[in-house]
Amino acid sequence: MARITLDKLAHSYLAAPKSDEDYALKQIDLDWEDGGAYALLGPSGCGKTTLLNIISGLLTPSAGNVLFDGQPVTQLSPEARNIAQVFQFPVIYDTMTVAENLAFPLRNRGVDKREIEQRVNDMLSTLDLTDKARRRAAGLTADEKQKISLGRGLVRHDVNAILFDEPLTVIDPHMKWQLRTRLKELHEQFEHTMIYVTHDQTEALTFADKVVVMYEGEIVQIGTPEELFDEPAHTFVGYFIGSPGMNILPAELQGSTLISANASFQLQRNYPVLDASHVELGIRPEFVRVESASAKQSDSPSLPYAITSVENIGRHRIIRGSVAGHALDAILPEGKDVPSEAVAVFDESHINVYSDSHLVKPRA
Amino acid sequence: MDKPWNNKAWFFVLPVFLLVALSAVIPLMTVVNYSVQDTFGGNQFFWAGTEWYTEVLTSSRFHDALIRNLIFSGIILAIEVPLGIAIALSMPRKGIWVPVCLILMALPLLIPWNVVGTIWKVFGRTDIGLLGYTLTAIGVEYNYVSNAVHAWITIIAMDVWHWTSLVVLLCYSGLVAIPEAYYQAARIDGASRWKVFRFIQLPKLKRVLLIAVLLRFMDSFMIYTEPFVLTGGGPGNSTTFLSIDLVKMAIGQFDLGPAAAMSIVYFLIILLLSWVFYTVMTNYGVERGK
Amino acid sequence: MLELNHVSKQVGRETHISGVSLSLERGSLNVLLGPTLAGKTSLMRLMAGLDRPTSGQVLMDGKDVTGVSVRNRDVAMVYQQFINYPSLTVFENIASPMRIAGVGRKERDRKVREAAELLKLTPYLERIPLNLSGGQQQRTALARALVKGASLVLLDEPLANLDYKLREELRVELPRLFAESGAVFVYATTEPHEALLLGGHTATLHEGKITQFGPTIDVHDRPADLVTAKTFADPPLNTARVRVTGGHVHAGERHLGQLANAPPDGEYTLGLRAHHVSLAANDRYQTALTVRVGTSEITGSETFVHLDPDVAQEGATSHWVALTHGVHRLRAGDSLTVHLDPSRYYLFDTSGVLAHAPAAH
């Protein structure tokens, strides 16, 4: 178990990178606490897998350092770094039994025979695989194989960190629920530092205490799931997290009044005077109420809402449409009807202001 | 209702059937026919029953040749398979050397059998051959014409030189198909180079190795051209393998009956041994799991 | 219209598809929903004509095409893997089925550009697929299937290998594309959520059988049996063994409320969706249930609370999940009271058939 520090880390797959664009990872500085659960979230090509491979030692960065507990490990091999990794596709040793698979990393490290047996048996019961211990690993289902991959890391008590590279990609939805919770339980039980790479927001948010959102080789925000949901630092985060993502509308800021879609919104907080030309309003679909135009007007402005489609996804409905020519999505809770003549009402306490795509922090 | 899946398909398969019938089934039947009859020439045949089979199976000449064949195939497999794997493992996986290595490996496979024989025959001559001359010059009394061991070594060297490439290419194709994640996982698990081979590469090579072993076994068991070109089965009978003996019997002595019986027995032995290899290799490690 | 009449597929001793009857309208989007190995791909292969059914009939627009091979069937297919001609440009890839069909150059050009516009591929038309992102490669494959103008388009988990967010966007676009082309569309997926977003009709598959077929939201809201309800639930369906007497539902000793229009007295399996387990009581969520908290998963706007109802007392036959709005920080192992609304209960009889469903809203 270790604290992991990334110090001015950068990487390019080119031998002689020239411009910023040649870098798969632009400068990254990060500090991950010992025993934390972190997620690296971003679309494909954002550099998250590159970063993971640098941490595990499968890749040497072009610049900067990786430190475990303050000790530089940048030049060390994966085995010397003492980490474990679970890959996208289950990696198991086909010819070995489940128990032999779990024992393998211990045998390689010359752990005492009785100790191995003890730890493997413990791990088998932790993973609910005791009854399959003598089975050949090749015949198991995808989720069981992933459990074995994970078990090979956990069985080494002293690993500095466990890294996950989209481990649920090949797992069926129902099994995903089980594996995800099992992973959380194991994290609480063993308190390993865990780093989880994914493009799936649900996996990232449910797994991690802190999520690192990456975009085009850079970190755009590090935050708890609530922070990412309530106050996305960048419009990209707003769009990337949440289904559907945050609505972004062009706007104009005048003191604590935000003018957008031909309406004035009274913001709950005070904002600095912005000289930026490009101001936007951000509001999550969860905070857009869809009401009937004939209903009693609330204090907040009602925007005439032209609905183009309604998707019923069971527990709620996703409404898609536009206000004053700008696309706007809303979420309609179960049990409410879609009005024929609709207006959209924003929850003003959840309006965010963006200037040149970056969140404007209100004045204290 | 239950008409064949696609009637057109039969038109495409038919020529192959005819070809196989003409080239394999009919000759085989002719041989079976010969093997149960006797003739004194003039196209007159008499029923001989299993007489020829008994004669072939009890003759020491047949036994000796069969043992030579088994030893030869055993040596060939024992050398070519490990050597092929080793070469495949040391070949580069990417970069500009890949095509170079592949072409080098493919070269021997392009050379016809009899040419290989002639090349080595000349190569090993003590008067003008580079190998024979060098060996003699450094004091080794090398002579494949009179020394049985030397003849064997030369034939084995020929086969190894000619056919190891096939094993290499098959193994190489198997190796490049292994996803990178396996190697990464093994490094993280702290596996040694040997364990990576034993638990990742070897299991993943199982299928191609099965093909390699079968091909090399069948081919080496049918060895003919190399000893024929080199010494014609000598010195003495030391390199008279079943195939050479068969030709001697059929064409040299014109004993059609015994030769036909021997052909059949020879064919069945290859079939049986191939089946044994196949079953053993496909079942290896399976029972343990169930 | 594509019709399957009692179609079965036997491979060796294994039954891959058993007695499937379906009829799919032109211009409709049909989702095949089921876990891995439920038979989705096998069924699609039978529909396409890649495999021949062991028994049963396949009809296209009323014509028996059971023995007709895929070449003569006017079918387009898109797979989970991105399959394009590697040496052709995106433009040539999209145009390829029309070239084979001998469509004129002008017409071809127009259609390719149209499809490229729809699928946002216009800037990449002259590129080679391998130099594109996964999403762009798959959109190329989709465009090719679209311009082919086939009467049957089969999509086998086409978005499974794409990024979450990209999937979300394509899911919104796909139904629109489908509706316009007038073909029969079949879309296989393992994800209930995806089926709901796509809408159209859904057939749920379980061990090679279709357990239900109907408008997607109807199948979701009124599953014919327990297997369908479980297949079409994400998070997994919460279940418990209950006894109904005079409209009162009991799990073991515990009273779980009273039902309007209750089924006859007897033993049932209770099914309850995760978002119908509430942490707060209100005028509808009145039935209290004490449970032990497992793991909580916080997504920022919602919390999935994993619960362990006391099996002996509550008769739970599965681990439970509550999906609640807002962020709730709960400690694992603590005891917690959740609230249920009896009008949201599903009841399945001992043979698994739906006996009671919540009223539509």
Side-chain angles (χ1 to χ4, degrees), chain C residues 239-260:
Chain C
T239 55
R241 259 191 301 277
V242 296
R243 193 166 26 79
V244 174
T245 32
H248 289 274
V249 182
H250 284 271
E253 294 304 306
R254 194 172 294 276
H255 184 226
L256 292 184
Q258 192 178 5
L259 295 175

Side-chain angles (χ1 to χ4, degrees), chain C residues 56 67 74 94 107 135 154-155 165 173 204 209 214 247-248 257 281 339 347:
Chain C
D74 194 16
I94 302 175
E107 170 80 356
L154 302 166
L155 309 163
K165 209 63 196 178
E173 287 168 29
T204 43
K209 288 197 185 88
H248 289 274
H339 303 271
L347 292 177

Side-chain angles (χ1 to χ4, degrees), chain A residues 42-45 48 166 169-174 176-177 180-182 184-185 188 199-202 205-208 224-226 229-230 238-246 286 309 311-318 320 334-337, chain C residues 34-37 133-134 160-169 172 190-193 196-197 217 220-221 230-237 275-276 285 294-302 304 306 319 321 323 325 327 329 332 344 361:
Chain A
S44 44
K48 54 189 195 299
E166 308 195 356
T169 306
V170 294
I171 311 294
D172 269 6
H174 280 80
K176 270 187 189 163
W177 283 88
R180 251 169 43 200
T181 43
R182 180 47 57 91
K184 273 211 102 138
E185 286 164 14
E188 275 155 29
H199 59 82
D200 186 317
Q201 45 162 313
T202 314
L205 296 169
T206 52
F207 171 77
T224 62
E226 290 124 285
F229 184 78
D230 292 331
Y239 147 81
F240 199 74
I241 286 174
S243 337
M246 186 178 249
E286 286 83 352
S309 73
E311 293 156 25
N312 190 342
I313 64 159
R315 66 176 203 261
H316 57 233
R317 271 163 292 179
I318 298 169
R320 297 184 199 271
E334 190 181 29
K336 279 191 80 173
D337 292 321
Chain C
T36 310
L37 299 179
S133 72
N161 286 353
L162 296 180
D163 270 13
Y164 188 87
K165 209 63 196 178
L166 198 62
R167 242 186 264 176
E168 210 172 275
E169 289 174 8
V172 176
T190 58
E191 294 181 35
H193 190 68
L196 284 167
L197 278 170
I217 197 67
H220 178 268
D221 288 349
K230 281 184 171 171
T231 306
F232 211 154
D234 187 40
L237 190 75
H275 64 283
H276 291 140
Y285 286 84
T295 322
S296 327
E297 300 179 291
I298 295 164
T299 69
S301 56
E302 291 169 325
F304 304 122
H306 294 257
H319 166 99
V321 180
L323 196 170
H325 285 285
V327 170
R329 294 190 186 284
R344 296 282 139 219
H361 46 73

